[in-house]
Amino acid sequence: MSIDITMPALSPTMEEGNLAKWLVKEGDTVSAGDVIAEIETDKATMEVESIDEGIVAKILVAEGTQGVKVNTVIAVLIEDGEDAASVKIPSAAAPITTVEVTTPAPEVNKGIEVPKPVAASVAAPVPNKGTRVFATPLARRIAEQGGLDLLSVTGTGPHGRIVKADVEAVQLGGGARANGNAPTMAKGMSDEAVLALYDDTITKKPHDGMRKIIAERLLESSQTIPSYFITMECEIDNLLAARARINTDAPKDENGKPLYKISVNDFIVKAMAMALKAVPEANVSWTSTDRIYHKHADVGVAVAVEDGLFTPIVRQAELKTLSIISAEVKDMAGRARNKRLKPEEYQGGSTAVSNLGMFGVREFTSIINPPHASIVSIGAGEKRAVVRGDELAIASVMAATFAFDHRAIDGALGAELAAAFKGYIENPIGMLV
């Protein structure tokens, strides 16, 4: 009896993935638990294990195929003794009406590395005909709020249904999406017409899955979250002294190297977690029906990767020592750069830390990443003149700018959290006891 292997859902929000690599070939025998393929999502490369044993009779989706829908049959197993030639391709493996899309390789300009051409099979958008419009409830609501006529939108969902991304693409570009590709850049102009306005020195880079997800989430955040901002200036001389002492006294391994090296950012993650425990009303997430109050402080740490961003989560950060936080952040940041994080390592949490101080940025604001209700943006520590009593003094000062979701955290509550954070930063001994 044949057994279907389908594209797995590697996270609750995953709708499709890229079949990066097959680790087996037709005719191979596999056992339950054997790794048979690698699947790329928007933010990670995950290994897929076989849940049954058998012989790989047919591989239905070639490696390198992009946009494979969840639950699509990608391969078929048979039992020992069965004839592979008699296996019928499941109807679920037959794609819907598709077109072959090939991205041409643009010229390389000024040292920019351009991806090689990629052929992918994508669903052909079906224009809405007549007066009946097929659209998801979320797409209808977004269109209604934005005053958009759905008759002008081309659907790229199953059977031409209009989905949220179609409506947002029209709102962003001022026109309907062309053939399911990126939204037009100016009303009434195709992408080709817009590109023709520039000289031939430009370089195009097709959007990958990560870039698309980042764009969608930031657009959603900026359009739906009523944010406000609070800046606290924190003196960090005590923190710098504590950091130097901790690193000097760190235990050594057999080669004489320190077992850990605490960074300023590790203190910031810990301070944010402690502040959330001190002000539990701010340790919250917003949903359409409830405010969710979190028991622990799960703090995301923004990590820049090539042409993208991850926010791995330090779980229960208020309970962890600085050395453990440091080790976890280093480990997850390294795996994030190789797209090896598991979905549960970067999904969830209630807040995040974004630090651009190492680039010399003095002060900036960040966009809240749902379901978080806050984020703190950390600038560079620098020597400044401060007034202590009636006298001038020199201190190392760091700007921390908080963004809050006003639906969940009101102004006074946000100020209370920011003040608690400042207290832990300026008196770091409170984080160590």
Side-chain angles (χ1 to χ4, degrees):
M1 179 179 178
S2 62
I3 302 168
D4 296 340
I5 299 175
T6 60
M7 170 64 77
L10 301 178
S11 71
T13 59
M14 177 176 168
E15 297 180 356
E16 61 181 33
N18 304 330
L19 208 161
K21 185 178 181 180
W22 279 108
L23 302 178
V24 296
K25 59 183 183 297
E26 291 183 358
D28 285 354
T29 299
V30 298
S31 301
D34 287 351
V35 178
I36 60 175
E38 292 182 355
I39 303 297
E40 291 180 350
T41 66
D42 57 299
K43 289 197 171 184
T45 299
M46 307 287 289
E47 294 178 338
V48 176
E49 297 181 355
S50 175
I51 59 174
D52 292 284
E53 61 180 25
I55 299 171
V56 181
K58 291 186 182 296
I59 291 177
L60 304 176
V61 178
E63 65 179 39
T65 302
Q66 299 185 4
V68 182
K69 298 293 184 182
V70 169
N71 294 328
T72 298
V73 181
I74 59 177
V76 178
L77 297 181
I78 58 173
E79 296 178 353
D80 189 18
E82 285 189 84
D83 183 8
S86 64
V87 175
K88 295 182 179 180
I89 298 177
S91 58
I96 61 175
T97 305
T98 60
V99 293
E100 191 74 13
V101 177
T102 302
T103 304
E107 297 179 0
V108 176
N109 181 52
K110 297 182 180 179
I112 297 176
E113 183 179 347
V114 180
K116 297 179 180 179
V118 178
S121 202
V122 299
V126 181
N128 287 293
K129 297 180 179 180
T131 58
R132 186 176 181 184
V133 177
F134 294 92
T136 64
L138 179 58
R140 289 183 182 276
R141 185 166 69 250
I142 294 174
E144 181 179 359
Q145 293 172 348
L148 178 65
D149 184 0
L150 286 176
L151 289 174
S152 65
V153 181
T154 298
T156 60
H159 308 294
R161 182 180 294 272
I162 296 172
V163 296
K164 180 184 74 168
D166 301 322
V167 176
E168 292 177 341
V170 174
Q171 292 176 331
L172 178 64
R177 292 210 295 183
N179 297 327
N181 293 326
T184 55
M185 296 176 65
K187 189 172 183 179
M189 296 180 66
S190 65
D191 288 350
E192 291 74 15
V194 172
L195 291 173
L197 300 175
Y198 300 91
D199 60 38
D200 58 3
T201 63
I202 65 171
T203 299
K204 293 191 298 181
K205 184 175 183 179
H207 304 313
D208 60 13
M210 180 187 295
R211 201 72 246 166
K212 291 177 181 178
I213 292 297
I214 290 174
E216 290 175 3
R217 292 184 66 83
L218 294 185
L219 181 65
E220 176 189 3
S221 177
S222 63
Q223 290 182 337
T224 62
I225 294 180
S227 302
Y228 68 95
F229 305 95
I230 292 175
T231 298
M232 279 286 186
E233 291 193 340
C234 309
E235 296 185 19
I236 59 172
D237 293 292
N238 289 339
L239 185 151
L240 294 176
R243 173 178 177 262
R245 181 66 181 271
I246 291 172
N247 287 338
T248 298
D249 295 342
K252 308 294 192 297
D253 63 15
E254 57 185 12
N255 297 318
K257 294 183 178 181
L259 293 179
Y260 52 78
K261 185 176 181 180
I262 306 302
S263 69
V264 172
N265 204 59
D266 299 328
F267 277 94
I268 291 167
V269 172
K270 179 71 171 181
M272 190 64 176
M274 297 294 287
L276 286 172
K277 292 302 292 182
V279 189
E281 295 84 359
N283 191 19
V284 64
S285 294
W286 177 269
T287 71
S288 60
T289 57
D290 304 282
R291 276 181 292 178
I292 301 173
Y293 291 89
H294 300 275
K295 180 179 180 180
H296 293 287
D298 298 334
V299 182
V301 182
V303 176
V305 300
E306 184 179 358
D307 198 31
L309 181 73
F310 277 94
T311 309
I313 309 295
V314 180
R315 307 285 178 182
Q316 301 185 17
E318 81 282 4
L319 302 178
K320 294 177 177 176
T321 63
L322 289 168
S323 60
I324 291 177
I325 290 173
S326 178
E328 286 192 10
V329 171
K330 286 183 175 66
D331 170 62
M332 290 191 291
R335 289 188 289 115
R337 294 185 181 98
N338 295 320
K339 298 188 72 174
R340 291 291 178 179
L341 284 178
K342 299 176 181 178
E344 59 267 24
E345 292 180 307
Y346 58 81
Q347 294 178 344
S350 61
T351 192
V353 170
S354 180
N355 190 342
L356 294 180
M358 68 286 294
F359 297 105
V361 176
R362 183 173 183 176
E363 184 178 332
F364 69 104
T365 60
S366 298
I367 297 176
I368 296 171
N369 182 29
H372 299 173
S374 63
I375 185 170
V376 62
S377 306
I378 304 299
E382 56 185 15
K383 294 288 186 180
R384 299 186 200 170
V386 298
V387 178
R388 291 178 179 159
D390 294 328
E391 297 181 355
L392 283 175
I394 301 297
S396 298
V397 179
M398 175 190 78
T401 301
F402 295 79
F404 292 109
D405 183 344
H406 212 319
R407 298 173 301 177
I409 302 175
D410 292 325
L413 183 60
E416 187 179 352
L417 180 68
F421 174 86
K422 176 183 172 72
Y424 283 111
I425 290 293
E426 295 189 343
N427 299 284
I429 192 67
M431 294 186 272
L432 307 177
V433 295

